């Protein structure tokens, strides 16, 4: 997007990465493709200076996917020939609770089982209640958003973060285990391919955006005592220790 490599250079690099990802996890390959599709419109809308490069990059992305399809052809053959309908629709069972973003489950060191009475009401099970980011990291994201509110690329990161948080909430806005409001995922939850996607896992792409924002904030924000801030980053790491 900064014009440092050609679309051909992007194509073979992306092709190798996508093929490798397909052999590791077809699920993640599908959801990262969904993430790419979802992220492109806000990037185009919010960061005008990259629009010419985006048009060129799309050719590289398309060629990269074609190259990946070729490299992963044996795997994809069995994946598509074995595709069946009538499987469980996961969206209603595995969505994120809004409180899970700030409240740790028993799998997180900070909190442990002290909040069990609340966190056990969240949808899904311990393995799928993975929305927890912790208050320190969310505070860093908020500080980054405010400090860079006039920077187009920062606006995109914030928009991407919010989009994937919203998608990870699934078919209903759930608060403290109680569904409150209808959400758009209800429209496509039964579509072929979508019925096997677990919405709660899409939070991984929100985490990616949060990680980039945290890295930029840590590298650029002035500290109170030292040149760069240390307290919030250390607390953010401590809050995520399993």
């Amino acid at each position: 997007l900064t014009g440092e490599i050609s679309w051909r250079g992007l194509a073979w690099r992306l092709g190798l990465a996508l093929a490798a990802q397909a052999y590791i996890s077809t699920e993640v390959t599908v959801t990262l493709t969904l993430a790419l599709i979802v992220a492109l419109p806000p990037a185009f809308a919010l960061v005008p200076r990259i629009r010419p490069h985006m048009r060129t990059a799309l050719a590289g992305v398309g060629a990269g996917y074609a190259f990946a399809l070729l490299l992963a052809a044996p795997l994809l053959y069995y994946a598509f020939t074995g595709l069946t309908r009538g499987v469980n629709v996961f969206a209603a069972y595995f969505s994120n609770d809004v409180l899970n973003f700030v409240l740790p489950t028993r799998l997180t060191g900070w909190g442990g089982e002290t909040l069990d009475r609340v966190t056990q009401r969240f949808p899904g099970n311990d393995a799928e209640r993975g929305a927890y980011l912790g208050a320190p990291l969310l505070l860093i994201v908020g500080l980054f958003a405010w400090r860079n509110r006039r920077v187009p690329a920062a606006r995109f990161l914030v928009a991407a973060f919010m989009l994937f948080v919203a998608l990870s909430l699934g078919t209903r806005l759930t608060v403290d285990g109680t569904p409150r409001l209808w959400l758009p995922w209800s429209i496509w939850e039964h579509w072929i391919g979508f019925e096997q996607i677990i919405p709660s896992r899409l939070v991984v792409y929100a985490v990616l955006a949060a990680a980039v924002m945290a890295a930029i904030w840590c590298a650029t924000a002035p500290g109170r005592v030292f040149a760069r801030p240390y307290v919030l980053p250390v607390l953010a790491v401590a809050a995520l220790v399993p």
Side-chain angles (χ1 to χ4, degrees):
L1 296 179
T2 57
E4 294 175 6
I5 59 174
S6 67
W7 70 267
R8 293 179 181 85
L10 173 63
W12 72 261
R13 289 171 172 85
L14 183 62
L16 288 175
L18 286 169
Q21 182 61 73
Y23 280 102
I24 295 170
S25 169
T26 50
E27 177 194 9
V28 175
T29 309
V30 170
T31 59
L32 74 85
T33 303
L34 174 65
L36 175 64
I37 293 169
V38 169
L40 282 173
F44 192 85
L46 295 171
V47 195
R49 68 180 176 82
I50 66 168
R51 288 174 187 170
H53 291 304
M54 278 190 72
R55 296 186 183 98
T56 304
L58 285 176
V61 171
Y65 267 89
F67 185 32
L69 287 171
L70 180 65
L71 295 175
L75 173 71
L76 295 173
Y77 168 78
Y78 286 104
F80 284 111
T81 56
L83 193 65
T84 58
R85 295 306 313 277
V87 297
N88 291 328
V89 177
F90 291 117
Y93 303 101
F94 299 111
S95 301
N96 284 326
D97 193 295
V98 171
L99 294 184
N100 193 190
F101 289 94
V102 291
L103 298 183
T105 68
R106 68 177 79 185
L107 302 182
T108 309
W110 193 344
E113 298 186 0
T114 56
L115 299 171
D116 256 8
R117 280 191 294 180
V118 177
T119 59
Q120 287 301 302
R121 292 197 291 268
F122 295 166
N125 51 44
D126 281 343
E128 300 297 345
R129 294 169 183 148
Y132 176 65
L133 295 176
L137 179 56
L138 289 173
L139 180 56
I140 289 174
V141 168
L143 291 170
F144 169 87
W146 175 254
R147 189 168 186 268
N148 299 280
R149 59 191 179 279
R150 293 184 178 87
V151 180
R155 291 178 180 176
F156 163 70
L157 285 170
V158 173
F161 175 78
M162 295 174 67
L163 270 171
F164 289 110
V165 164
L167 286 174
S168 78
L169 299 176
T171 58
R172 295 289 186 274
L173 178 68
T174 305
V175 183
D176 195 17
T178 304
R180 307 281 184 177
L181 297 172
W182 174 92
L183 291 175
W185 195 280
S186 302
I187 298 172
W188 54 73
E189 65 172 321
H190 292 280
W191 293 3
I192 295 176
F194 282 89
E195 79 272 46
Q196 295 191 60
I197 292 178
I198 296 176
S200 62
R201 296 182 183 180
L202 294 176
V203 77
V204 69
Y205 302 105
V207 171
L208 176 60
V212 174
M213 287 188 281
I216 295 172
W217 183 81
C218 291
T220 59
R224 296 288 184 181
V225 178
F226 302 100
R228 293 284 171 254
Y230 285 96
V231 175
L232 267 182
V234 169
L235 289 176
V237 172
L240 294 170
V241 172

